[in-house]
């Protein structure tokens, strides 16, 4: 059996490429940039006011606190918009975390954890926690594979596969237990994964 372990650095780079090619990427990042610039503008304006209008130490403190509080609103909204863009523009691959690939004698298994936009794992954090009972397993027998196509670090598999999932996910109607087509990014520590998959498929 061949086992390929996850690479956080490769995952981050591949997702970056995918998200940047999405049609909504530039618009979302532009909005995030405007909001962050607005926050910096508010802080700068506060400093200018304090320089031009001398006041007491307490007055300076009050003005600075008010400026920082006002600036925090667009700043954090801007960061949220940026993170949302990173996540949504790379779906569904950004929602698959800590993924490993197993090539058995008769079947292929892709083991992953499904994550949301507010979870550290979505952004390849080293501090993410993965519970064994929450993992998903995509499995397809070699004889049921119609085709495997690997392009631009994305592996697409067509055939009769199945998805084993935790109990909490079985109630989600958007998650399918069977899959005619499944794809994942080639974010693994080992090299030549595409070549090994091709040889295994024969």
């Amino acid at each position: 059996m061949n086992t390929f372990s996850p690479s956080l650095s490769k995952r981050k780079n591949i997702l970056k490429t995918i998200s940047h090619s999405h049609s909504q990427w530039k618009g979302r990042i532009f909005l995030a940039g405007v909001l962050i610039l607005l926050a910096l503008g508010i802080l700068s304006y506060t400093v200018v006011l304090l320089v031009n209008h001398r006041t007491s130490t307490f007055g300076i403190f009050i003005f600075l606190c008010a400026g920082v509080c006002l600036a925090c609103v667009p700043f954090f909204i801007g960061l949220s918009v940026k993170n949302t863009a990173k996540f949504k523009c790379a779906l569904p691959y950004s929602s698959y975390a800590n993924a490993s690939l197993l090539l058995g004698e008769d079947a292929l298994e892709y083991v992953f954890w499904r994550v949301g936009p507010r979870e550290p794992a979505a952004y390849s954090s080293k501090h993410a926690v993965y519970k064994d009972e929450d993992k998903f397993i995509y499995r397809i027998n070699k004889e049921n594979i119609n085709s495997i196509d690997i392009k631009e670090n994305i592996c697409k598999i067509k055939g009769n596969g199945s998805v084993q999932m935790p109990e909490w996910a079985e109630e989600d109607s958007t998650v399918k237990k069977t899959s005619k087509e499944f794809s994942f990014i080639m974010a693994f520590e080992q090299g030549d994964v595409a070549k090994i998959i091709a040889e295994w498929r024969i």
Side-chain angles (χ1 to χ4, degrees), residues 47-112:
V47 172
V48 170
L49 280 177
L50 288 173
V51 170
N52 293 329
H53 298 83
R54 298 301 177 99
T55 183
S56 64
T57 303
F58 182 71
I60 291 173
F61 176 75
I62 294 296
F63 261 88
L64 283 177
C65 286
V68 170
C69 289
L70 285 173
C72 280
V73 175
F75 179 77
F76 286 112
I77 292 176
L79 287 182
S80 177
V81 170
K82 185 177 180 181
N83 284 336
T84 300
K86 287 181 178 180
F87 184 79
K88 288 193 173 183
C89 291
L91 285 172
Y93 312 112
S94 54
S95 66
Y96 302 161
N98 196 40
S100 56
L101 179 68
L102 293 83
L103 298 178
E105 185 176 342
D106 301 315
L108 174 151
E109 288 187 356
Y110 180 75
V111 182
F112 64 99

Side-chain angles (χ1 to χ4, degrees), residues 4 27 43 48 51 59 66 88 112 150 183 195:
F4 303 95
L43 286 177
V48 170
V51 170
K88 288 193 173 183
F112 64 99
I150 301 175
S183 62
K195 181 181 178 182

